[in-house]
Amino acid sequence: MKTTSEGRYTIPYLTPAIYNIEVTASGFQTLKREKITLSIADKLNLPLQLTVGAVSETVVVTASRRR
C-alpha cells in the first residue's frame, strides 16, 4: 500500500483483531507497531514517523483473531 502525497493512508474493512504493523520505505528504517487492537466500527488514527536509514518499500499488516 502507498500513502497519499500528504503521507496519509487508509486500510478499510479490517476485521476486528489485534494487528502488528510494519512500515518500510526506501531510504528509511523499518517502523514496527505491535498489538494494535481494532474493535468493531473503530476508526484508528495511528500517526507513524519514519527515521532515515535502510532501503526498502512495503507496508505489512497482520492480524490474530480474538477468541
Side-chain angles (χ1 to χ4, degrees):
M1 166 196 341
K2 292 189 176 184
T3 64
T4 65
S5 60
E6 295 85 28
R8 298 187 186 280
Y9 61 93
T10 59
I11 307 172
Y13 310 113
L14 291 176
T15 302
I18 298 172
Y19 289 88
N20 293 326
I21 299 171
E22 182 175 309
V23 180
T24 60
S26 181
F28 294 89
Q29 293 178 6
T30 298
L31 175 67
K32 295 181 182 181
R33 294 286 187 265
E34 296 183 347
K35 299 180 182 176
I36 305 297
T37 302
L38 186 62
S39 299
I40 295 174
D42 273 356
K43 289 187 178 182
L44 181 63
N45 181 12
L46 187 61
L48 303 169
Q49 184 172 349
L50 298 178
T51 303
V52 176
V55 176
S56 66
E57 183 175 10
T58 57
V59 174
V60 177
V61 178
T62 58
S64 60
R65 292 207 180 252
R66 289 186 187 176
R67 296 180 187 231

